[in-house]
Amino acid sequence: MSNARTARLSRRGLLAAGGALGLGAALAACGGDDAKSGGSESAKKGKSGPWSFKDDRGTTVKLDEVPTRIVAFTGVAAALYDYGIEVKGVFGPTKTPDGKADVQAGDMDVSKLTIFGNKFDSFNVEQYAAFQPEVLISTTFDDAGTLWYVPEASKDKIAKLAPSVAVSVYDRQMPEPLQRMAELAESLGADMKAAKVVEAKKKFEAAAERLRKAAKARPEIRVLAGSAAPDVFYVSGSNYSIDLEYFKALGVNIVEPPEEAKKATGGWFETLSWENVDKYPADVIIMDDRASTIQPADITEGTWKKLPAVKAGQVISRSPEPILSYDKCTPLLDNLAEAIEKAKKVG
């Protein structure tokens, strides 16, 4: 990883630690470098001619034609899919060990995807080269523009094969990267005036207003963002995470670990032992939903089961790496709003 100020940690360290981006504990090996040969055709509607896009690193990528051989981080591909842009080359969590779609794959049919790497630090460069990519698209979680899930060891080789585009999800609120992803999709041929797209944005805005009203009506409800690993529990602060920063801006009472407690992780999160999982009172707990983390139903620690929010059934899922389409982000707002509206004060 670059020496970005994000956390002064290696990318592997951030990922293994889990809570920084709510990134769960040691990533499980959910499949290997399984892949199929074949190209990628976007679902463009008559879009042709020169293409250019200025990404969040300030880099402008220019091509003679709108790219069709696109390779993207799985979550990015899932967002583009919601706008009608079909990306068939992906890297990142795509399949679970049983072959089913990972949560970050959204509505894509994972059986039809060419997967260059299904886990962290796994990227088949040779296969990527054979695919003849025109552009690679990913998110970035730091201010240096480090491409998410592009391995440090092979990033230079990968960079030589195709230009890259980065959408930042670092230290900003959810609407900004949502807008940027929509702009990217439009540049690739998405019809942003399509009824489905227009309606999805309206529903997102309505959900945001619902969450704002719920938070205003129930300011006493404390919401804790957690992530579970075998030996530790992570409590994420609202700094840097696009969902938590937005929730807080809408008025949600987010449990905030003190800065000193988050110092070792650059301000992202605090690491607790399971014995100390009750350190912060909370009425609602939102838990990391990625396959690399332990899900609430599978947590066996007695200290967890004794938490008031857990006993009250006030635990819902959280997507620390939300799929950046209005369609996929709307339920995140609605579910939290409903949890706050119905919550009993227990923390």
Side-chain angles (χ1 to χ4, degrees):
M1 183 179 181
S2 64
N3 291 323
R5 69 186 180 189
T6 308
R8 305 301 181 192
L9 295 174
S10 68
R11 294 170 74 222
R12 177 176 289 282
L14 278 173
L15 202 63
L21 315 167
L23 294 176
L27 272 179
C30 41
D33 294 329
D34 57 321
K36 309 174 194 140
S37 61
S40 173
E41 294 295 329
S42 68
K44 300 192 306 298
K45 305 298 183 182
K47 186 82 171 181
S48 61
W51 179 79
S52 69
F53 187 81
K54 185 175 181 179
D55 75 0
D56 291 338
R57 300 169 299 184
T59 299
T60 299
V61 176
K62 296 181 179 181
L63 298 174
D64 292 337
E65 296 286 341
V66 178
T68 59
R69 303 183 73 80
I70 303 168
V71 173
F73 173 70
T74 302
V76 171
L80 293 175
Y81 182 88
D82 286 348
Y83 289 114
I85 305 300
E86 190 171 350
V87 178
K88 294 183 179 178
V90 301
F91 58 96
T94 307
K95 290 182 179 180
T96 56
D98 59 4
K100 295 181 179 179
D102 186 276
V103 65
Q104 295 191 64
D107 294 333
M108 296 188 296
D109 183 346
V110 297
S111 69
K112 297 180 179 179
L113 296 173
T114 298
I115 305 171
F116 299 105
N118 198 55
K119 55 185 179 180
F120 194 65
D121 265 354
S122 173
F123 196 114
N124 191 320
V125 181
E126 291 73 22
Q127 185 187 27
Y128 178 66
F131 190 83
Q132 298 182 320
E134 293 175 308
V135 67
L136 179 148
I137 309 173
S138 189
T139 50
T140 180
F141 281 92
D142 61 34
D143 57 2
T146 306
L147 294 172
W148 191 231
Y149 265 78
V150 172
E152 182 73 17
S154 55
K155 67 177 184 179
D156 292 339
K157 292 181 180 179
I158 293 169
K160 292 177 181 178
L161 296 170
S164 63
V165 168
V167 175
S168 180
V169 288
Y170 172 65
D171 197 16
R172 58 202 63 201
Q173 295 175 24
M174 187 182 286
E176 184 175 348
L178 272 173
Q179 178 61 31
R180 292 293 285 147
M181 189 64 72
E183 291 169 359
L184 175 60
E186 184 173 27
S187 78
L188 293 169
D191 180 4
M192 305 312 289
K193 294 182 180 179
K196 178 181 178 180
V197 174
V198 173
E199 184 63 21
K201 187 172 183 179
K202 287 182 179 179
K203 288 183 178 180
F204 175 83
E205 292 169 346
E209 184 58 26
R210 178 186 179 184
L211 181 55
R212 188 193 305 277
K213 290 180 178 179
K216 184 176 181 179
R218 304 293 306 279
E220 76 281 6
I221 299 300
R222 292 168 55 88
V223 177
L224 181 146
S227 185
D231 301 319
V232 292
F233 183 82
Y234 307 102
V235 178
S236 294
S238 64
N239 288 351
Y240 309 130
S241 297
I242 62 171
D243 61 333
L244 299 184
E245 284 200 9
Y246 190 43
F247 297 162
K248 187 173 183 178
L250 291 173
V252 176
N253 185 358
I254 301 288
V255 171
E256 298 281 4
E259 292 305 312
E260 185 61 28
K262 299 184 293 181
K263 187 175 181 179
T265 63
W268 287 94
F269 63 97
E270 179 179 4
T271 304
L272 300 177
S273 66
W274 281 104
E275 288 74 14
N276 296 317
V277 72
D278 61 352
K279 181 176 180 179
Y280 300 108
D283 304 292
V284 173
I285 300 176
I286 53 177
M287 290 291 290
D288 192 333
D289 67 355
R290 286 165 301 178
S292 56
T293 67
I294 301 176
Q295 296 306 299
D298 299 319
I299 298 175
T300 58
E301 298 290 341
T303 48
W304 164 261
K305 295 180 178 180
K306 293 179 181 179
L307 293 178
V310 175
K311 293 172 68 174
Q314 295 175 178
V315 178
I316 64 171
S317 65
R318 173 200 172 205
S319 297
E321 291 183 69
I323 293 172
L324 294 173
S325 71
Y326 293 107
D327 180 71
K328 293 298 182 293
C329 285
T330 295
L332 307 181
L333 303 179
D334 274 331
N335 292 344
L336 181 54
E338 182 178 11
I340 292 174
E341 290 164 354
K342 296 180 177 180
K344 297 178 181 178
K345 181 62 182 174
V346 296

